[in-house]
Amino acid sequence: MKTKTKKFGVILLGITMMLGALTQCKEKKEDNSLILAAILYLSQGRAPGVYISGVLVDENNEPMANKTVTIKGRNETPTVVRTGTAANRGYYKNVLSATPFETRYADGDSKISSQCGSAVFALYGATQAAILGDRQLICDTSTLPAEASTAGIAESLVAAGEVVAQFTTDSNGAFVSQKFVIPNTGNTYTVEVDGAARNRRLRVARSGTSSLLTQSDIILGNNTTPTEQVATKYAFSIFNLVVEVEYPRPIRTLEGTLASNVFIGANEQVILQGTVIVPNGVTLSIGEGAKVYGSVSPGGALLVKQGGKLEAIGTATNPVVFSSEKAVGQRQPGDWQGIILQGNGIQTFGSIGGTAIGEGDVGTFGGNNNADSSGTLRYVRIEFAGAPFSPGNERNCLSLMGVGSGTTIDYVQCHRGFDDGFEWWGGAVNHKYIVSTANRDDQLDFTDGYIGKVQYAIAHLDTAASSSNDDTSRCVEGDGNTSNSCSASARTGGNCADPWFANLTCVASNGNAVATSGTNIGNGWYVRRSDGTALVGSISHAAILGTVGPLNCTAPTRYGDIVASSAIGTCTGGTALGANSASDAVTLTNINVTAPDWTPTAGTITASGNLKTVGSAQMNQAFFDDTNYRGAINTGGTKWWDGWTSFPAN
């Protein structure tokens, strides 16, 4: 902590690369490094759609660095556009057709007639060779394949002046996998550089040539004549234009601030384009099996503000999944920015019951209502989230800021986030059955007055996922207050976070073995930042295996009935909830984070007493079940995570 799916079936249907110079441009310099980044990027995968990459150069073929390129619609659908050389006139099928292109030479007039129709043949057949000169033809007469239409890619015209893509070239003049906002097909587009009126037509094709149109083009379309030409000298061109098309395309994209209630239906696919805000008075409802993908650029996020609600309710066999827009196998921690819930619960940074600015530049949260509701998350999986804004300023997998106990968050998994899994700032939201796996920093993290209750939590540290550049990775890290000191428990109106944790299973592993060491792996339960007298948190009936040490406290805490794979340790000034903590050779069924089964197979999991009787009344909370075993799963107990969790490496 800092101060501060089912498989996604993306099918690459085609990659088209145009190599070499364009007509009217000087000979291209040999500099393959300019497009190398674009080529390498092809293996990373993204959300379905249409993407282009290339290198912008001036009339002298010099890279045009840091230039803003804007692509706009022209409101025309060409029937014929240019390709080939003076000796090679050709045609191609529609940009998204699965049929590969064919080439016709001067003696291939029947091809024009059969593919382009008699009207085109009459204009451009062999008898019209003198008119053709060195101009080139592509017939684009086929319709979209069924899978493209089903995926939501349109054949309709893009209105004149409508921006479909905008991006800035890098220091080499390159742009990499830039997505068309409206990937309609069968269009030509106007290209502008830095807003200047040096327009160039861009023809985007999946099969065949994609290029800036030149003086040698002949364009037959709904809005043009065969004699339309462009200027004979150009201020810029694009080399090495790469076009990629990926299916299936989600039905909907959400972006900006929702103006009214929105419902995402069962099994529907939706992309969060940038930060999507659910404001006060608005509810975003998500049905079982829905897949919600966060865009990579701009970084997708779901931000539920105070008074807004998220109702994401899946089932054990059909959970709601939040994930990266990248293809399965190509996803990474931090691909998108995660889910942020902001409530009116009490937070204690700066003042008790005031507001604070949330980590990750998400605005204010907090108030005086610890019973506040931000909605429901049940049978939900969140993965590959938590993109950093700046060092020490990350969004997490699930950020809970001033979230009140009226909110229900049960059966939720956070997997492979860039920073923390679950992080709480104040509030009093309670949880049962939560799983946090292979997040790069802490799995569970609290501060600033959080006083919720957590039972049946699994926190699995993956030594391969931790980074030496991060804070030490722990199962549970707690700060009394991010201001570095606090003096009294928030349970009784003070400013120290003081939650309860019962039946925690904490594991650190490297492959199939319990970790004995690992990059930046810390303790299982670690609390800090109080004045040395104020207690920070209570934990009992826990199993802590493979961390550097089970307990480490620079602020006092309450602990009891913990079984661990090494000596328990002490928390100076803390309170033992009975003399029940022990070191034991506990083993679990499978501790490889790619296919875990945390069911105990050996060791002393049975507790010395029931949860609610340990340490007098400390754990006797109405929210808790009165368990008599240590850890989140009893020997032979129900695998309550089965069906709705998943553990992909990427």
Side-chain angles (χ1 to χ4, degrees):
M1 177 172 56
K2 319 300 184 299
T3 56
K4 23 152 205 185
T5 101
K6 293 180 182 177
K7 291 189 177 178
F8 182 41
V10 176
I11 305 171
L12 183 63
L13 287 190
I15 298 176
T16 300
M17 180 175 290
M18 183 186 76
L19 299 175
L22 303 170
T23 307
Q24 305 297 323
C25 289
K26 297 181 181 180
E27 184 179 358
K28 180 182 179 294
K29 296 180 179 180
E30 288 297 325
D31 187 358
N32 294 331
S33 65
L34 296 179
I35 199 60
L36 180 60
I39 296 172
L40 292 176
Y41 194 84
L42 300 183
S43 66
Q44 295 185 16
R46 303 129 305 220
V50 178
Y51 298 82
I52 61 172
S53 303
V55 179
L56 185 72
V57 298
D58 62 19
E59 62 266 30
N60 297 313
N61 297 335
E62 295 296 332
M64 299 178 71
N66 306 313
K67 297 293 184 182
T68 298
V69 178
T70 305
I71 301 176
K72 300 177 180 179
R74 287 184 56 89
N75 196 39
E76 67 178 16
T77 302
T79 302
V80 180
V81 295
R82 156 235 179 248
T83 192
T85 65
N88 180 1
R89 301 176 186 126
Y91 69 89
Y92 295 94
K93 304 289 274 185
N94 185 277
V95 286
L96 295 182
S97 172
T99 305
F101 73 87
E102 298 179 51
T103 302
R104 84 156 185 103
Y105 295 89
D107 59 351
D109 297 330
S110 62
K111 295 290 187 180
I112 293 181
S113 180
S114 62
Q115 297 294 325
C116 304
S118 58
V120 175
F121 175 72
L123 283 173
Y124 297 107
T127 58
Q128 300 295 324
I131 296 176
L132 274 173
D134 64 354
R135 297 176 185 176
Q136 314 305 318
L137 305 179
I138 299 177
C139 294
D140 189 11
T141 57
S142 64
T143 58
L144 282 177
E147 63 267 30
S149 299
T150 301
I153 297 177
E155 279 187 289
S156 58
L157 299 179
V158 176
E162 182 176 355
V163 175
V164 297
Q166 189 172 61
F167 51 87
T168 301
T169 61
D170 66 15
S171 59
N172 293 317
F175 54 95
V176 178
S177 289
Q178 298 297 322
K179 186 177 180 181
F180 276 30
V181 176
I182 306 174
N184 293 6
T185 64
N187 292 271
T188 56
Y189 303 90
T190 290
V191 183
E192 297 177 356
V193 174
D194 277 355
R198 298 176 293 183
N199 297 343
R200 293 287 306 279
R201 272 187 173 166
L202 174 69
R203 171 61 177 159
V204 177
R206 182 185 74 83
S207 296
T209 300
S210 301
S211 66
L212 292 173
L213 305 183
T214 73
Q215 184 185 15
S216 297
D217 303 329
I218 290 182
I219 303 171
L220 292 184
N222 296 347
N223 310 94
T224 62
T225 66
T227 58
E228 180 175 352
Q229 297 183 14
V230 293
T232 58
K233 186 172 179 65
Y234 309 107
F236 60 87
S237 297
I238 294 177
F239 283 143
N240 302 327
L241 189 65
V242 176
V243 177
E244 303 155 83
V245 179
E246 297 183 6
Y247 293 141
R249 182 169 179 258
I251 297 172
R252 276 200 288 170
T253 295
L254 296 181
E255 58 186 344
T257 301
L258 303 183
S260 59
N261 295 343
V262 171
F263 178 67
I264 298 173
N267 303 308
E268 187 177 358
Q269 295 186 37
V270 171
I271 280 186
L272 303 175
Q273 187 73 22
T275 298
V276 175
I277 299 173
V278 183
N280 179 35
V282 171
T283 298
L284 172 62
S285 301
I286 304 176
E288 66 176 85
K291 306 296 187 296
V292 181
Y293 302 103
S295 62
V296 174
S297 180
L302 182 59
L303 172 57
V304 181
K305 298 294 293 181
Q306 294 166 288
K309 284 186 170 58
L310 172 61
E311 298 288 342
I313 304 174
T315 68
T317 57
N318 200 20
V320 173
V321 177
F322 292 85
S323 191
S324 162
E325 69 168 347
K326 288 183 180 178
V328 171
Q330 307 300 330
R331 301 169 296 185
Q332 297 292 330
D335 277 348
W336 64 293
Q337 297 176 2
I339 300 175
I340 306 101
L341 302 185
Q342 294 184 314
N344 294 293
I346 298 171
Q347 68 80 37
T348 62
F349 180 75
S351 63
I352 299 173
T355 60
I357 302 296
E359 185 178 74
D361 301 333
V362 293
T364 59
F365 70 94
N368 287 292
N369 182 11
N370 262 349
D372 189 32
S373 174
S374 296
T376 304
L377 279 73
R378 188 174 175 85
Y379 291 112
V380 171
R381 187 166 75 247
I382 310 164
E383 54 193 22
F384 304 106
F389 270 60
S390 58
N393 187 24
E394 297 91 359
R395 293 182 180 180
N396 303 286
C397 172
L398 180 58
S399 298
L400 301 165
M401 302 179 176
V403 176
S405 61
T407 309
T408 298
I409 301 178
D410 299 329
Y411 297 98
V412 174
Q413 180 190 17
C414 282
H415 182 67
R416 292 201 183 276
F418 186 88
D419 193 44
D420 298 322
F422 295 75
E423 185 160 2
W424 299 266
W425 290 264
V429 61
N430 302 315
H431 308 273
K432 283 182 178 175
Y433 305 109
I434 62 174
V435 178
S436 191
T437 46
N439 298 287
R440 280 166 44 109
D441 196 9
D442 305 310
Q443 307 310 304
L444 310 169
D445 197 335
F446 65 83
T447 190
D448 292 344
Y450 175 56
I451 55 169
K453 303 172 185 69
V454 179
Q455 188 172 28
Y456 312 122
I458 294 170
H460 196 145
L461 296 168
D462 180 5
T463 59
S466 300
S467 169
S468 59
N469 295 322
D470 293 339
D471 277 356
T472 300
S473 298
R474 303 174 174 101
C475 285
V476 182
E477 178 178 284
D479 289 355
N481 199 291
T482 54
S483 63
N484 295 319
S485 183
C486 57
S487 57
S489 171
R491 300 179 191 177
T492 55
N495 60 347
C496 280
D498 200 5
W500 293 261
F501 283 78
N503 294 103
L504 166 73
T505 290
C506 163
V507 183
S509 69
N510 185 357
N512 291 306
V514 170
T516 55
S517 64
T519 303
N520 244 26
I521 296 296
N523 297 89
W525 172 266
Y526 176 70
V527 294
R528 60 184 179 181
R529 294 179 179 165
S530 79
D531 64 1
T533 62
L535 292 162
V536 177
S538 302
I539 181 171
S540 189
H541 286 53
I544 303 177
L545 311 175
T547 57
V548 171
L551 302 179
N552 184 9
C553 310
T554 60
T557 191
R558 311 168 192 85
Y559 61 95
D561 240 311
I562 297 170
V563 65
S565 55
S566 60
I568 295 298
T570 60
C571 294
T572 303
T575 301
L577 302 178
N580 302 313
S581 299
S583 175
D584 195 359
V586 172
T587 59
L588 307 181
T589 302
N590 189 340
I591 57 169
N592 190 323
V593 76
T594 62
D597 182 346
W598 299 284
T599 306
T601 59
T604 308
I605 292 297
T606 302
S608 60
N610 282 14
L611 176 70
K612 293 190 177 184
T613 59
V614 167
S616 189
Q618 181 56 222
M619 304 301 288
N620 188 13
Q621 305 297 317
F623 175 78
F624 288 143
D625 299 329
D626 195 16
T627 58
N628 63 357
Y629 58 89
R630 300 156 171 157
I633 311 98
N634 199 3
T635 303
T638 301
K639 296 176 174 46
W640 50 260
W641 64 89
D642 263 1
W644 58 275
T645 58
S646 185
F647 311 95
N650 46 43

